[in-house]
Amino acid sequence: MLGLKLPTDPRWVNLAEMSLEEILTDHAYCEQKAATACISLIQLYPDKKELVEQVAPVVTEEWGHFRMVLRELENRGLHLGFQRKDEYVHGLMSFQKKGGSREDRLLEKLLICALIEARSCERFRLLSEQLQDPDLREFYRQFMVAEAGHYRMFIELARLYSDRDRVDSRWNEYLKFEGDLLKNLDLRGDRMH
Ligand SMILES: [Fe+2]
Ligand SMILES: [Fe+2]
């Protein structure tokens, strides 16, 4: 369903399991960035009524996710660390087409959001299936379901504001780029991506 070109290396879950405080910290900031990205879409495109209506509740949801991760850290006696440079998101941003019309830039933003949701969803699924701790498996299952819904929302918004062929062809370029990007990033258990 997600169309990702490169499945996550199966060793990643084991690495993540060994650095729980770091992975939860990184996860918390992924949720914060998701909320921030939604707020910024609304600020940039207040004239797109559907977008504002659909994205506004997702801001609350992503911030709720951030708080869920905080609570999980707290329950485990772990601490939220500092945010680190996000090479994955940085890499995806570099593939964005600069210039063009407002609509062109909207398409780029929506597809990047969709892609990050898709990859997060894939990784949450792995965690929900393969972690040893049953509570953590259930914790991650909830995120997997939510992020799958966000992925669909961003793709549908892209199709609403841009023609379908254009969305599909640019989406395929993004998928290919993302697969190559991940191949070139170090496999790290302290990062969600
Ligand atoms: Fe989220
Ligand atoms: Fe999300």
Side-chain angles (χ1 to χ4, degrees), residues 19-25 69-81 136:
S19 34
L20 203 53
E21 190 166 51
E22 285 83 1
I23 198 81
L24 284 169
T25 288
V69 182
L70 274 189
R71 205 179 320 127
E72 195 63 29
L73 279 161
E74 173 79 28
N75 290 344
R76 291 172 183 269
L78 302 172
H79 303 284
L80 180 69
L136 265 187

Side-chain angles (χ1 to χ4, degrees), residues 27 30-32 34-35 58 61-66 117 120 124 143 146-147 150:
H27 177 187
C30 288
E31 301 296 353
Q32 172 265 308
V58 178
E61 200 183 343
E62 301 291 20
W63 194 249
H65 288 172
F66 176 83
E117 296 284 0
S120 304
F124 290 144
F143 289 99
E147 311 311 354
H150 299 161

